[in-house]
Amino acid sequence: MSRQTSRGASIHLPERTRTPDGRALVALDSAGAGMYLPVAALFLIQVRGFSVTDAGLALGIGAGVGLLFPVLAGTLVDRVGPRRVIGTGQLLRAIAMLVYLLVPGWPGAIAGSAICAAGMQLHYGSLYAFLTALRPSDGSHDAQFARVEMVRSAG
């Protein structure tokens, strides 16, 4: 496949022979996301000294804040594309882990939980838009979504 540049030169682009469906990455992400709440609760209880009730409250407040982000995810996907929104979500999740480690007490627990919930909502709010952009041209689009959802459910 060739494409013309603005100066008229021809650039040869290799043909994509296979469209990745990202099943391994989705499975890894789903497994990690599924372990987040139990591990975060254990961290707050065992390392930070929270009671079970306080850990649950801090994680619940953070999750409540995260509920504000799916609408933002849709708007951002329309403006900057799903890849950037997924990347931002992953970056927020990494920042949340640093907040948990570096900021002690209630402020760290609530901020870490809220930042992580926001990152998860941005990620999952843009995942299917991203997968749609990767859809294969052979008509197996529905099968690809089914496989990804099975992997997410198993993860």
Side-chain angles (χ1 to χ4, degrees), residues 41-81:
L42 286 172
F43 175 80
L44 292 175
I45 294 164
Q46 296 293 322
V47 176
R48 294 290 187 212
F50 279 55
S51 70
V52 173
T53 304
D54 289 345
L57 185 60
L59 293 171
I61 291 170
V65 171
L67 291 175
L68 302 172
F69 283 82
V71 173
L72 180 61
T75 302
L76 288 173
V77 164
D78 290 340
R79 289 188 182 166
V80 300

Side-chain angles (χ1 to χ4, degrees), residues 6-51:
S6 61
R7 294 183 181 166
S10 180
I11 298 174
H12 177 71
L13 300 173
E15 291 281 334
R16 272 187 108 165
T17 57
R18 183 171 175 262
T19 303
D21 61 7
R23 284 181 286 178
L25 294 175
V26 170
L28 180 64
D29 178 69
S30 294
M35 290 188 297
Y36 161 69
L37 279 177
V39 171
L42 286 172
F43 175 80
L44 292 175
I45 294 164
Q46 296 293 322
V47 176
R48 294 290 187 212
F50 279 55
S51 70

Side-chain angles (χ1 to χ4, degrees), residues 10-152:
S10 180
I11 298 174
H12 177 71
L13 300 173
E15 291 281 334
R16 272 187 108 165
T17 57
R18 183 171 175 262
T19 303
D21 61 7
R23 284 181 286 178
L25 294 175
V26 170
L28 180 64
D29 178 69
S30 294
M35 290 188 297
Y36 161 69
L37 279 177
V39 171
L42 286 172
F43 175 80
L44 292 175
I45 294 164
Q46 296 293 322
V47 176
R48 294 290 187 212
F50 279 55
S51 70
V52 173
T53 304
D54 289 345
L57 185 60
L59 293 171
I61 291 170
V65 171
L67 291 175
L68 302 172
F69 283 82
V71 173
L72 180 61
T75 302
L76 288 173
V77 164
D78 290 340
R79 289 188 182 166
V80 300
R83 183 182 300 259
R84 288 186 179 163
V85 179
I86 286 176
T88 301
Q90 298 291 50
L91 180 62
L92 284 174
R93 288 159 77 176
I95 290 169
M97 299 307 122
L98 290 174
V99 169
Y100 275 129
L101 291 173
L102 301 175
V103 182
W106 278 95
I110 292 174
S113 178
I115 293 168
C116 188
M120 290 175 111
Q121 294 297 335
L122 287 177
H123 174 85
Y124 289 116
S126 56
L127 179 64
Y128 287 99
F130 178 72
L131 293 175
T132 299
L134 296 178
R135 73 178 179 269
S137 59
D138 64 0
S140 62
H141 185 249
D142 291 338
Q144 179 184 7
F145 276 123
R147 285 191 302 271
V148 167
E149 193 56 38
M150 286 187 301
V151 169
R152 277 192 64 211

